Short mmCIF file of all heavy atoms in Angstrom, two decimals:
data_model
loop_
_atom_site.label_atom_id
_atom_site.label_comp_id
_atom_site.label_asym_id
_atom_site.label_seq_id
_atom_site.Cartn_x
_atom_site.Cartn_y
_atom_site.Cartn_z
N GLN A 1 16.68 -123.41 -4.19
CA GLN A 1 16.16 -124.55 -3.42
C GLN A 1 15.33 -125.45 -4.33
O GLN A 1 14.12 -125.35 -4.41
CB GLN A 1 15.35 -124.05 -2.23
CG GLN A 1 16.20 -123.32 -1.20
CD GLN A 1 15.45 -123.04 0.09
OE1 GLN A 1 14.23 -123.07 0.14
NE2 GLN A 1 16.19 -122.75 1.14
N TRP A 2 16.02 -126.33 -5.04
CA TRP A 2 15.41 -127.23 -6.01
C TRP A 2 14.95 -128.52 -5.34
O TRP A 2 13.82 -128.94 -5.46
CB TRP A 2 16.43 -127.53 -7.10
CG TRP A 2 15.91 -128.14 -8.35
CD1 TRP A 2 16.03 -129.44 -8.74
CD2 TRP A 2 15.21 -127.46 -9.39
NE1 TRP A 2 15.46 -129.63 -9.96
CE2 TRP A 2 14.94 -128.42 -10.39
CE3 TRP A 2 14.79 -126.15 -9.58
CZ2 TRP A 2 14.26 -128.10 -11.56
CZ3 TRP A 2 14.12 -125.83 -10.74
CH2 TRP A 2 13.85 -126.79 -11.71
N GLU A 3 15.89 -129.15 -4.65
CA GLU A 3 15.62 -130.31 -3.82
C GLU A 3 16.79 -130.47 -2.86
O GLU A 3 17.86 -129.91 -3.09
CB GLU A 3 15.44 -131.58 -4.66
CG GLU A 3 16.70 -132.05 -5.35
CD GLU A 3 16.49 -133.30 -6.20
OE1 GLU A 3 15.33 -133.72 -6.37
OE2 GLU A 3 17.49 -133.85 -6.70
N LEU A 4 16.59 -131.23 -1.79
CA LEU A 4 17.69 -131.46 -0.87
C LEU A 4 18.83 -132.19 -1.57
O LEU A 4 18.60 -133.10 -2.37
CB LEU A 4 17.21 -132.27 0.33
CG LEU A 4 16.30 -131.52 1.32
CD1 LEU A 4 15.76 -132.49 2.35
CD2 LEU A 4 17.05 -130.39 1.99
N ALA A 5 20.05 -131.77 -1.26
CA ALA A 5 21.23 -132.36 -1.88
C ALA A 5 21.41 -133.80 -1.42
O ALA A 5 21.06 -134.17 -0.30
CB ALA A 5 22.46 -131.55 -1.53
N THR A 6 21.97 -134.62 -2.31
CA THR A 6 22.26 -136.00 -1.95
C THR A 6 23.64 -136.14 -1.31
O THR A 6 23.95 -137.18 -0.75
CB THR A 6 22.18 -136.91 -3.19
OG1 THR A 6 23.10 -136.45 -4.18
CG2 THR A 6 20.77 -136.91 -3.75
N SER A 7 24.46 -135.10 -1.39
CA SER A 7 25.75 -135.09 -0.73
C SER A 7 26.18 -133.65 -0.50
O SER A 7 25.68 -132.72 -1.15
CB SER A 7 26.81 -135.81 -1.57
OG SER A 7 27.19 -135.03 -2.68
N LYS A 8 27.11 -133.46 0.41
CA LYS A 8 27.60 -132.11 0.73
C LYS A 8 28.20 -131.44 -0.51
O LYS A 8 28.05 -130.22 -0.69
CB LYS A 8 28.66 -132.21 1.83
CG LYS A 8 29.15 -130.87 2.35
CD LYS A 8 28.07 -130.13 3.11
CE LYS A 8 28.61 -128.81 3.70
NZ LYS A 8 27.55 -128.04 4.37
N LEU A 9 28.84 -132.22 -1.38
CA LEU A 9 29.48 -131.65 -2.55
C LEU A 9 28.49 -131.04 -3.54
O LEU A 9 28.86 -130.22 -4.37
CB LEU A 9 30.31 -132.72 -3.27
CG LEU A 9 31.51 -133.27 -2.51
CD1 LEU A 9 32.16 -134.41 -3.29
CD2 LEU A 9 32.52 -132.17 -2.23
N GLU A 10 27.21 -131.46 -3.46
CA GLU A 10 26.20 -130.98 -4.40
C GLU A 10 25.44 -129.76 -3.90
O GLU A 10 24.64 -129.19 -4.63
CB GLU A 10 25.20 -132.11 -4.70
CG GLU A 10 25.82 -133.33 -5.36
CD GLU A 10 26.30 -133.06 -6.77
OE1 GLU A 10 25.88 -132.05 -7.38
OE2 GLU A 10 27.11 -133.85 -7.28
N GLU A 11 25.65 -129.37 -2.66
CA GLU A 11 24.84 -128.30 -2.07
C GLU A 11 25.16 -126.94 -2.67
O GLU A 11 26.26 -126.66 -3.13
CB GLU A 11 25.06 -128.23 -0.56
CG GLU A 11 24.52 -129.41 0.19
CD GLU A 11 24.81 -129.33 1.68
OE1 GLU A 11 25.24 -128.26 2.14
OE2 GLU A 11 24.59 -130.34 2.38
N VAL A 12 24.15 -126.05 -2.61
CA VAL A 12 24.37 -124.64 -2.91
C VAL A 12 25.26 -124.06 -1.82
O VAL A 12 25.02 -124.28 -0.64
CB VAL A 12 23.03 -123.88 -2.95
CG1 VAL A 12 23.27 -122.37 -3.14
CG2 VAL A 12 22.15 -124.41 -4.07
N PRO A 13 26.34 -123.34 -2.17
CA PRO A 13 27.25 -122.80 -1.15
C PRO A 13 26.50 -121.94 -0.13
O PRO A 13 25.57 -121.20 -0.47
CB PRO A 13 28.23 -121.94 -1.97
CG PRO A 13 28.21 -122.56 -3.33
CD PRO A 13 26.80 -123.04 -3.54
N GLY A 14 26.92 -122.06 1.13
CA GLY A 14 26.33 -121.24 2.18
C GLY A 14 25.19 -121.88 2.93
O GLY A 14 24.64 -121.29 3.85
N THR A 15 24.81 -123.11 2.58
CA THR A 15 23.73 -123.79 3.29
C THR A 15 24.32 -124.79 4.28
O THR A 15 25.47 -125.22 4.15
CB THR A 15 22.80 -124.54 2.32
OG1 THR A 15 23.57 -125.46 1.56
CG2 THR A 15 22.11 -123.58 1.38
N SER A 16 23.54 -125.14 5.27
CA SER A 16 24.01 -126.04 6.32
C SER A 16 23.70 -127.49 5.97
O SER A 16 22.96 -127.77 5.03
CB SER A 16 23.34 -125.68 7.65
OG SER A 16 21.97 -126.00 7.60
N ASP A 17 24.24 -128.41 6.77
CA ASP A 17 23.98 -129.83 6.54
C ASP A 17 22.50 -130.16 6.62
O ASP A 17 22.01 -131.02 5.92
CB ASP A 17 24.74 -130.68 7.56
CG ASP A 17 26.23 -130.70 7.29
OD1 ASP A 17 26.61 -130.49 6.12
OD2 ASP A 17 27.00 -130.93 8.23
N SER A 18 21.77 -129.46 7.48
CA SER A 18 20.38 -129.80 7.71
C SER A 18 19.45 -129.27 6.64
O SER A 18 18.36 -129.80 6.43
CB SER A 18 19.93 -129.28 9.08
OG SER A 18 20.04 -127.86 9.14
N ASP A 19 19.84 -128.19 5.98
CA ASP A 19 18.93 -127.61 4.99
C ASP A 19 19.60 -127.42 3.63
O ASP A 19 19.18 -126.61 2.82
CB ASP A 19 18.37 -126.27 5.47
CG ASP A 19 19.44 -125.20 5.65
OD1 ASP A 19 20.63 -125.50 5.42
OD2 ASP A 19 19.09 -124.06 6.00
N GLY A 20 20.65 -128.21 3.35
CA GLY A 20 21.40 -128.02 2.13
C GLY A 20 20.64 -128.48 0.90
O GLY A 20 20.27 -129.65 0.77
N PHE A 21 20.39 -127.56 -0.02
CA PHE A 21 19.66 -127.84 -1.25
C PHE A 21 20.60 -127.79 -2.45
O PHE A 21 21.62 -127.10 -2.42
CB PHE A 21 18.55 -126.79 -1.47
CG PHE A 21 17.33 -127.00 -0.63
CD1 PHE A 21 17.30 -126.59 0.70
CD2 PHE A 21 16.20 -127.59 -1.16
CE1 PHE A 21 16.17 -126.77 1.48
CE2 PHE A 21 15.06 -127.79 -0.39
CZ PHE A 21 15.05 -127.38 0.93
N ILE A 22 20.22 -128.48 -3.51
CA ILE A 22 20.84 -128.24 -4.80
C ILE A 22 20.00 -127.21 -5.55
O ILE A 22 18.85 -126.94 -5.19
CB ILE A 22 20.99 -129.52 -5.64
CG1 ILE A 22 19.61 -130.08 -6.05
CG2 ILE A 22 21.82 -130.56 -4.91
CD1 ILE A 22 19.70 -131.18 -7.09
N SER A 23 20.59 -126.65 -6.59
CA SER A 23 19.92 -125.63 -7.37
C SER A 23 19.43 -126.21 -8.69
O SER A 23 19.82 -127.31 -9.10
CB SER A 23 20.86 -124.44 -7.62
OG SER A 23 22.06 -124.90 -8.24
N GLY A 24 18.58 -125.46 -9.37
CA GLY A 24 18.06 -125.86 -10.67
C GLY A 24 17.63 -124.65 -11.45
O GLY A 24 17.79 -123.50 -11.01
N ILE A 25 17.06 -124.89 -12.62
CA ILE A 25 16.63 -123.77 -13.47
C ILE A 25 15.42 -124.20 -14.28
O ILE A 25 15.30 -125.36 -14.70
CB ILE A 25 17.78 -123.29 -14.38
CG1 ILE A 25 17.39 -122.01 -15.13
CG2 ILE A 25 18.24 -124.39 -15.35
CD1 ILE A 25 18.59 -121.31 -15.79
N VAL A 26 14.50 -123.25 -14.48
CA VAL A 26 13.31 -123.44 -15.32
C VAL A 26 13.45 -122.57 -16.55
O VAL A 26 13.73 -121.37 -16.44
CB VAL A 26 12.02 -123.06 -14.56
CG1 VAL A 26 10.79 -123.31 -15.46
CG2 VAL A 26 11.90 -123.82 -13.25
N TYR A 27 13.27 -123.18 -17.72
CA TYR A 27 13.28 -122.44 -18.99
C TYR A 27 11.88 -122.46 -19.58
O TYR A 27 11.18 -123.47 -19.53
CB TYR A 27 14.22 -123.09 -20.01
CG TYR A 27 15.64 -123.28 -19.58
CD1 TYR A 27 16.08 -124.51 -19.07
CD2 TYR A 27 16.57 -122.26 -19.71
CE1 TYR A 27 17.39 -124.71 -18.70
CE2 TYR A 27 17.91 -122.45 -19.33
CZ TYR A 27 18.29 -123.68 -18.83
OH TYR A 27 19.61 -123.88 -18.47
N LEU A 28 11.50 -121.35 -20.20
CA LEU A 28 10.23 -121.29 -20.91
C LEU A 28 10.45 -120.63 -22.26
O LEU A 28 11.02 -119.54 -22.35
CB LEU A 28 9.19 -120.49 -20.12
CG LEU A 28 7.78 -120.44 -20.72
CD1 LEU A 28 7.15 -121.83 -20.74
CD2 LEU A 28 6.90 -119.48 -19.92
N TYR A 29 10.00 -121.32 -23.33
CA TYR A 29 10.16 -120.84 -24.70
C TYR A 29 8.81 -120.81 -25.41
O TYR A 29 7.92 -121.60 -25.10
CB TYR A 29 11.10 -121.76 -25.48
CG TYR A 29 12.54 -121.65 -25.08
CD1 TYR A 29 13.04 -122.37 -24.00
CD2 TYR A 29 13.42 -120.82 -25.78
CE1 TYR A 29 14.37 -122.27 -23.62
CE2 TYR A 29 14.75 -120.72 -25.40
CZ TYR A 29 15.23 -121.44 -24.32
OH TYR A 29 16.53 -121.33 -23.95
N ARG A 30 8.70 -119.88 -26.38
CA ARG A 30 7.53 -119.85 -27.26
C ARG A 30 7.98 -120.22 -28.67
O ARG A 30 8.90 -119.61 -29.22
CB ARG A 30 6.87 -118.47 -27.27
CG ARG A 30 5.53 -118.48 -28.04
CD ARG A 30 4.90 -117.09 -28.12
NE ARG A 30 4.71 -116.50 -26.82
CZ ARG A 30 3.70 -116.79 -25.98
NH1 ARG A 30 2.82 -117.72 -26.32
NH2 ARG A 30 3.60 -116.19 -24.82
N LYS A 31 7.31 -121.21 -29.25
CA LYS A 31 7.65 -121.66 -30.60
C LYS A 31 7.31 -120.58 -31.62
O LYS A 31 6.31 -119.87 -31.49
CB LYS A 31 6.89 -122.95 -30.93
CG LYS A 31 7.23 -123.53 -32.29
CD LYS A 31 6.52 -124.85 -32.53
CE LYS A 31 6.78 -125.41 -33.92
NZ LYS A 31 6.13 -126.71 -34.15
N ALA A 32 8.12 -120.51 -32.64
CA ALA A 32 7.91 -119.52 -33.70
C ALA A 32 6.58 -119.75 -34.40
O ALA A 32 6.10 -120.88 -34.52
CB ALA A 32 9.04 -119.60 -34.71
N ARG A 33 6.00 -118.68 -34.87
CA ARG A 33 4.80 -118.74 -35.71
C ARG A 33 5.25 -118.56 -37.16
O ARG A 33 5.90 -117.58 -37.48
CB ARG A 33 3.81 -117.62 -35.35
CG ARG A 33 3.28 -117.69 -33.92
CD ARG A 33 2.34 -116.52 -33.67
NE ARG A 33 1.90 -116.45 -32.29
CZ ARG A 33 0.85 -117.08 -31.80
NH1 ARG A 33 0.11 -117.83 -32.61
NH2 ARG A 33 0.50 -116.96 -30.54
N GLY A 34 4.91 -119.48 -38.00
CA GLY A 34 5.23 -119.36 -39.41
C GLY A 34 6.70 -119.28 -39.70
O GLY A 34 7.13 -118.62 -40.64
N GLY A 35 7.51 -119.94 -38.85
CA GLY A 35 8.94 -120.01 -39.11
C GLY A 35 9.76 -118.90 -38.49
O GLY A 35 10.96 -118.92 -38.55
N GLN A 36 9.10 -117.89 -37.89
CA GLN A 36 9.83 -116.80 -37.27
C GLN A 36 9.27 -116.55 -35.88
O GLN A 36 8.07 -116.58 -35.65
CB GLN A 36 9.70 -115.50 -38.10
CG GLN A 36 10.32 -115.58 -39.47
CD GLN A 36 11.82 -115.70 -39.42
OE1 GLN A 36 12.48 -115.04 -38.63
NE2 GLN A 36 12.38 -116.56 -40.26
N VAL A 37 10.17 -116.28 -34.94
CA VAL A 37 9.71 -115.98 -33.59
C VAL A 37 9.24 -114.54 -33.54
O VAL A 37 9.63 -113.69 -34.34
CB VAL A 37 10.83 -116.19 -32.56
CG1 VAL A 37 11.21 -117.64 -32.47
CG2 VAL A 37 12.05 -115.34 -32.87
N GLU A 38 8.37 -114.28 -32.56
CA GLU A 38 7.91 -112.92 -32.35
C GLU A 38 8.95 -112.15 -31.56
O GLU A 38 9.80 -112.72 -30.87
CB GLU A 38 6.57 -112.94 -31.60
CG GLU A 38 5.48 -113.65 -32.38
CD GLU A 38 4.21 -113.81 -31.57
OE1 GLU A 38 4.21 -113.43 -30.38
OE2 GLU A 38 3.22 -114.30 -32.12
#
């Protein structure tokens, strides 16, 4: 449930017209220290 879909084609499968959301993803990275990651 990222945000409400702007069209039926964008919805997450299995949701209804009234509550149809699109999906999304959050990424989190840690920058390497001294050229190498931990």
Side-chain angles (χ1 to χ4, degrees):
Q1 294 190 342
W2 195 255
E3 68 181 8
L4 288 172
T6 58
S7 73
K8 186 68 176 176
L9 294 175
E10 298 292 342
E11 292 178 11
V12 174
T15 57
S16 69
D17 287 335
S18 61
D19 64 358
F21 283 80
I22 66 169
S23 55
I25 188 167
V26 181
Y27 304 97
L28 184 65
Y29 288 84
R30 188 183 305 280
K31 183 177 177 178
R33 298 179 186 272
Q36 296 292 318
V37 294
E38 298 173 356

